[in-house]
Amino acid sequence: MIIISSKGNKVSSKSANHDPKNPIFKCPNCGCVYGSIVDIESCFDKKLETEDQYPPMLCNECGTELESFE
């Protein structure tokens, strides 16, 4: 579920931090922001790893690949 932080950002309810001070990732599809790798569930999913790469950083809500927050 998407929630609105006190700063007005959209944040995934599955994130560890619901009010990131300095978001570093955002979802281009649903607009959720993430303040840390710890907030992104897909980073810890070993099934998503490829042979030479870590798991992709996907939005907790819609599964879209995240981009840098600018």
Side-chain angles (χ1 to χ4, degrees):
M1 179 170 70
I2 297 174
I3 58 176
I4 304 297
S5 74
S6 64
K7 295 181 181 177
N9 293 320
K10 291 181 180 181
V11 183
S12 171
S13 61
K14 299 174 186 176
S15 294
N17 182 0
H18 292 159
D19 198 12
K21 291 181 183 178
N22 298 310
I24 53 176
F25 302 107
K26 70 176 178 179
C27 176
N29 186 42
C30 69
C32 283
V33 298
Y34 299 87
S36 162
I37 297 289
V38 174
D39 293 336
I40 305 166
E41 290 181 334
S42 66
C43 289
F44 302 98
D45 190 341
K46 298 294 183 188
K47 293 181 282 184
L48 295 175
E49 284 184 12
T50 59
E51 189 173 312
D52 296 324
Q53 293 185 330
Y54 294 108
M57 293 189 301
L58 306 175
C59 178
N60 294 346
E61 296 299 323
C62 68
T64 303
E65 191 161 357
L66 300 174
E67 45 185 48
S68 178
F69 183 87
E70 293 176 352

